[in-house]
Amino acid sequence: MRPASPSTEPHFSFVLETPAATPEAARQHFLAKLSVETDPADLKLDLERGRKGFVVVDTRSPEAYARRHIPGALNIPGRTVTAETTASLSKDDVIIVYCWSPGCNGATKAAVRFAALGFRVKELIGGIEYWVKEGFPTEGTLPLGTPVFGMTGEL
């Protein structure tokens, strides 16, 4: 007789196979996560309130930025983040970076570059895709209502 596999055992749990972290370890993990991420709703509310202390940076190409971007965002493509291209930014401000979507790591790569230059940085989770999905305003040459799609352009 074959031994039962974990997936067929009635009392086996894929969720609980790895024990959950202690409450303190979980608190530390989620605090660390929040220290490097923000979401579209929080950013929009702070922008509406005129909150200072951060700069929004679109890390996509100049062409993608021209088509659609978050109002007021600067365009510094991720691969061009250097001491020279960031010289006008204050290290007193937190840099909020974004790219296309959760499937794009361009903002993550740019965040590494900003941090290496001594900037505090957070990534906008969901990128421009989730900003648009939330119905938040954008600027650019695309007509309103045109969806954002991937690296090659729009639908």
Side-chain angles (χ1 to χ4, degrees), residues 79-104:
R79 293 186 189 277
T80 71
V81 174
T82 65
E84 293 75 28
T85 62
T86 62
S88 65
L89 300 176
S90 171
K91 291 191 178 165
D92 292 333
D93 289 331
V94 173
I95 307 301
I96 309 298
V97 293
Y98 72 90
C99 61
W100 284 106
S101 69
C104 174

Side-chain angles (χ1 to χ4, degrees), residues 2-108:
R2 293 175 61 180
S5 71
S7 62
T8 60
E9 291 179 27
H11 300 291
F12 178 80
S13 171
F14 287 101
V15 172
L16 301 176
E17 178 179 27
T18 301
T22 66
E24 181 56 23
R27 187 180 79 78
Q28 289 299 321
H29 167 79
F30 291 113
L31 279 173
K33 186 175 176 179
L34 289 170
S35 74
V36 295
E37 295 178 346
T38 191
D39 71 7
D42 289 347
L43 178 58
K44 179 182 180 283
L45 190 56
D46 273 1
L47 289 171
E48 284 177 346
R49 292 177 174 175
R51 179 73 166 90
K52 305 293 183 207
F54 62 87
V55 175
V56 180
V57 176
D58 185 318
T59 65
R60 300 171 304 146
S61 70
E63 297 78 21
Y65 174 84
R67 288 192 300 267
R68 177 170 290 152
H69 59 271
I70 294 172
L74 303 176
N75 182 224
I76 306 175
R79 293 186 189 277
T80 71
V81 174
T82 65
E84 293 75 28
T85 62
T86 62
S88 65
L89 300 176
S90 171
K91 291 191 178 165
D92 292 333
D93 289 331
V94 173
I95 307 301
I96 309 298
V97 293
Y98 72 90
C99 61
W100 284 106
S101 69
C104 174
N105 67 4
T108 306

